Structure formats: C-alpha cells, structure tokens
Amino acid sequence: MADWQEITGGITAPRGYQAAGITAGLKPSGLPDLALIFSEVEAIAAGVFTTSQVKAACVDYCRQRLQAKQSARAILCNAGQANAATGNQGWFDALESALAIAQALNISSESVLLASTGVIGQRIKMDALRSGIPKVVAALSETGSDAAAGAIITTDLVTKSIALETTIGDRPVRIGGIAKGSGMIHPNMATMLAFVTCDAVVSPHLWQQMLARAADRSFNSITVDGDTSTNDSLIALANGQSRTPAIIEWGAEAEKLEAMLIAVCQHLAKAIARDGEGATCLIEVEVTGAHDELSARQIAKTIAGSSLVKSAIFGRDPNWGRIAAAAGRAGVPFEQENLQIKLGNFLMLENGQPLTFDRAAASAYLKKAATGAYLQQDTVLISVNVGNGYGVGKAWGCDLSYDYVKINAEYTT
C-alpha cells in the first residue's frame, strides 16, 4: 500500500501557499484566464520544460531564472495567448509580467516564475494582464486551488488537481498539484502546464533530480496526438513550512518524498491523457520483461501513441495485431517468440502465438471503459511482456475519436 493518503486542497494543501484564479479578459470566451500561486516564504524551485526548438518566452524566462537562482515565491500563469513565436516583444512582455506581479506582491522579480498557454503566435494581451494583476493578488487565498486550476485550462473539459500527505520525521508533509492539457500532448513534454507545491525541506539539487525523474515516469509517458508544443512547463516549489528535518541527501526520507511526488505527477498526467481532445477513455500500457525501465517505457509509449491502436480502441475493436506491430517498431530489440499481449483480462498472444479469445466479450470490455467513471472505471489496460528482463514501464494515452479532428480543425476559427 502507498505510504500516503489523498487529501483535499490541491495546490494549497501544503502549508504556506495561497492561490487564485480570475477572469482578466485574456480569453475571448470570457472564462477565467489568469492564475497565481504564491508561497509565503522563499521556496526551493525546480522545473522541467519543453524540448522544442520553438519555445515560448515564459519557458526561456523560467530557464534563465532557475539557472541563476533555484528558488521562487510566485508562479503567474496566463491562458489565452501562448506568447510563443512572438519575437523580442514577447520576451519584453514576459519581463514586464514578472515585474508587475513582483511589485504587486512586494517581492523581487527574481522570485517570480511564469507560464503561458493558448494560441501560438499571439502575444499576451498586456492591457488586460496589467489590470488583472491587482485583482488576482487580492484574490489570493489558502483555498484558492480550484480557482487557479480553472484559470489555466484551455480546451480541457475538466480541471486537474490532487493533494497527498505522508509523514516524515513524525510530522505531516504534503504535496499538491494542478495541471492543464488536452491536446498537443506527447512525451518531452506536451501542451501541458503542471504546478506542484510541497512543504518539505529539501535541497535544490535533490528537488530538481526528483522532479526530472517524476516527469519521466508521468508527463513524459503520456501521449494524446504525437505533438509536442512550445510552452510545456512543470514547475515545483518546496517551501519547508512542514518544519521537518532537511532532506539533503538520498535516503529513506528522500525516497518516500520522491515516491509521493511521482504519484502526484502520475495522477495529473493520467488526468491529462484521459481528457485528451475528443477522448472517450484512458489507455494504460504496461510493458514488462524488457532489458531496463527505459526500454520498457519506450515500447509502452509507442503503443500508447499509435494512431492505429488508438483508433481500434475508439472503434471497440480488440485488434491485438496493431499492439504487436507498435511494440515491434518501438526501436527496442526483443525476441518475437517471447511476446505476450493482454487486453484487460483477455490473453490474446502467448509466446508469439495467437490464442483464441472471446472477441465479443473483449469488445464489450472496451465499450464498458468508454462509459466508466472518470479515472476509475474508464481505463483500458494493455499488458505486454517482451521477455525475461527486469525492465517495467508504463505509458498512458487515450483513444482517437472523430471529435479530435473537429476540435483541432476549428481551433483558431
């Protein structure tokens, strides 16, 4: 059993954090579009960002800030305009945004991190942002997580939030998180934003290492459509307000904290994959028997990202041949005679040989997932074994429906 429990509160569940989300007039829809996360004290900060060569100004800004100083107090996120591919003026807009929120909070601009999401090629509506900053600061609250989660979404159908609590040094330690993402989702990373808060005391070096590993096992293991975007940001703060002993080297306490961080990130990652544009179910692929974890994850991600596999799941077609084909092209060597494939509890291939199975029942299993409760009974499980190795890896995706094309064909119109 997990050595933690789920609690309420989301991003503000850990001690010493406030959050807010307001409507500043950045989105044409008039929905909430400006979020702020604030630590009452300076917090250790870590980040993982898009690997795209085309990056939003906020990504370049955060990378520079974190290279200079691995701490922060505030994260400001605007939704509506990505501020990516906007040239020098986009960079100046980012600098102005950081300075404006810093002045409103009476902190140094060096303690501000930024995130943006929306249409690529569009600058932030700075007039709306300027007028919204005093309002979002005034709205800060220890119960503001839901408002912040609602203000960062774009095409998402639901908000994404989680908080967990464990015990370190006989004191409670909490990690909370919110995220957004629905389309342009693919490993390394995706059109996703994720913000994590923690009240443990942890060294900057360890915190960055933990976050990078957590990203690999969560946000870098999901795919919706094979497209990586320009604004992907995973930012995590640890402010030490739990008053627990400092975690400065690897050991049992660091291992426990990282395991809980991974659990938070995986929950948010699965929520993003399940909320894929037009999706009707979540797909979870587990690969065992590979040479190492990296190889297993590579096979799992290839299967989860296969358009043919995703289309078959949407059509409720238990076509295991597509799963086998995706596994075979993942770039990971394995012996075909060792291959085993299961869809839910239906064993379809064993030792590289096809088996007779109840096709109607397997199709019914897929149909049931499409009507199941969100992130509970709505998951299609694909299990693949490729040999006798110790490598185990998971990846998550969603089915590919007609609505995905409609949503993205009309995205800017």
Side-chain angles (χ1 to χ4, degrees):
M1 293 181 63
D3 193 18
W4 52 76
Q5 60 182 349
E6 186 171 344
I7 59 174
T8 60
I11 202 79
T12 54
R15 291 168 180 78
Y17 292 97
Q18 299 177 50
I22 66 160
T23 300
L26 297 164
K27 288 180 181 176
S29 64
L31 294 172
D33 49 24
L34 188 63
L36 177 62
I37 300 165
F38 181 60
S39 174
E40 296 171 1
V41 298
E42 196 77 6
I44 298 302
V48 179
F49 302 96
T50 181
T51 59
S52 174
Q53 295 302 303
V54 181
K55 298 179 289 295
C58 57
V59 170
D60 287 331
Y61 171 88
C62 285
R63 280 179 167 156
Q64 289 189 19
R65 280 284 179 262
L66 291 175
Q67 286 174 359
K69 187 181 73 165
Q70 293 176 294
S71 66
R73 289 191 64 184
I75 303 170
L76 179 70
C77 178
N78 73 279
Q81 300 85 44
N83 199 23
T86 50
N88 289 336
Q89 192 56 55
W91 173 251
F92 294 139
D93 290 343
L95 294 179
E96 182 183 346
S97 301
L99 181 60
I101 195 67
Q103 291 175 340
L105 291 168
N106 195 28
I107 63 175
S108 168
S109 61
E110 295 180 352
S111 293
V112 174
L113 298 173
L114 301 174
S116 300
T117 184
V119 179
I120 295 170
Q122 292 189 4
R123 288 175 50 199
I124 301 170
K125 295 179 180 178
M126 293 304 294
D127 288 342
L129 185 79
R130 292 185 195 102
S131 63
I133 281 177
K135 300 174 184 176
V136 76
V137 170
L140 280 172
S141 165
E142 293 180 354
T143 58
S145 179
D146 288 347
I152 66 175
I153 61 175
T154 49
T155 59
D156 307 54
L157 296 178
V158 297
T159 57
K160 300 155 183 77
S161 176
I162 184 69
L164 301 177
E165 180 182 274
T166 192
T167 301
I168 294 178
D170 297 325
R171 293 183 64 87
V173 170
R174 298 171 179 173
I175 299 180
I178 59 173
K180 66 83 55 180
S182 185
M184 290 185 82
I185 302 296
H186 195 59
N188 296 322
M189 289 164 21
T191 299
M192 54 141 285
L193 302 176
F195 308 120
V196 174
T197 57
C198 176
D199 52 19
V201 184
V202 58
S203 73
H205 180 67
L206 273 182
W207 190 232
Q208 180 64 52
Q209 285 186 332
M210 290 178 182
L211 190 67
R213 286 191 290 262
D216 281 342
R217 296 176 181 177
S218 58
F219 300 112
N220 281 339
S221 293
I222 59 173
T223 183
V224 168
D225 46 24
D227 275 299
T228 297
S229 185
T230 56
N231 290 55
D232 316 332
S233 300
L234 165 60
I235 299 172
L237 305 179
N239 67 7
Q241 292 303 287
S242 63
R243 308 299 183 187
T244 51
I247 300 174
I248 59 175
E249 59 185 20
W250 189 251
E253 292 180 344
E255 186 175 346
K256 179 187 286 190
L257 187 67
E258 180 175 322
M260 190 164 70
L261 176 62
I262 291 171
V264 166
C265 290
Q266 285 186 345
H267 175 91
L268 296 174
K270 288 191 285 185
I272 288 173
R274 173 59 185 92
D275 197 28
E277 291 166 341
T280 68
C281 62
L282 178 70
I283 300 172
E284 178 173 300
V285 183
E286 181 177 46
V287 174
T288 58
H291 175 68
D292 52 29
E293 181 185 349
L294 186 63
S295 298
R297 283 211 313 269
Q298 180 62 31
I299 297 172
K301 287 189 288 187
T302 304
I303 295 170
S306 165
S307 295
L308 291 177
V309 172
K310 290 155 64 69
S311 299
I313 299 299
F314 175 68
R316 320 310 172 204
D317 178 12
N319 187 346
W320 61 263
R322 293 182 174 181
I323 300 171
R329 67 174 174 83
V332 177
F334 64 85
E335 297 299 326
Q336 179 172 316
E337 56 267 26
N338 291 331
L339 187 61
Q340 179 195 80
I341 295 175
K342 291 177 65 177
L343 179 67
N345 291 324
F346 297 92
L347 183 61
M348 300 174 165
L349 187 75
E350 180 74 39
N351 296 323
Q353 297 296 313
L355 302 177
T356 300
F357 65 94
D358 189 334
R359 184 169 293 274
S363 180
Y365 166 72
L366 298 175
K367 293 176 183 177
K368 184 177 181 181
T371 60
Y374 179 73
L375 289 182
Q376 294 180 40
Q377 290 89 35
D378 60 348
T379 303
V380 170
L381 299 175
I382 297 174
S383 304
V384 175
N385 184 273
V386 296
N388 299 315
Y390 295 104
V392 177
K394 288 185 179 182
W396 297 270
C398 61
D399 57 342
L400 182 59
S401 73
Y402 311 129
D403 285 341
Y404 174 83
V405 176
K406 180 177 175 59
I407 291 167
N408 284 282
E410 302 172 355
Y411 186 67
T412 63
T413 56

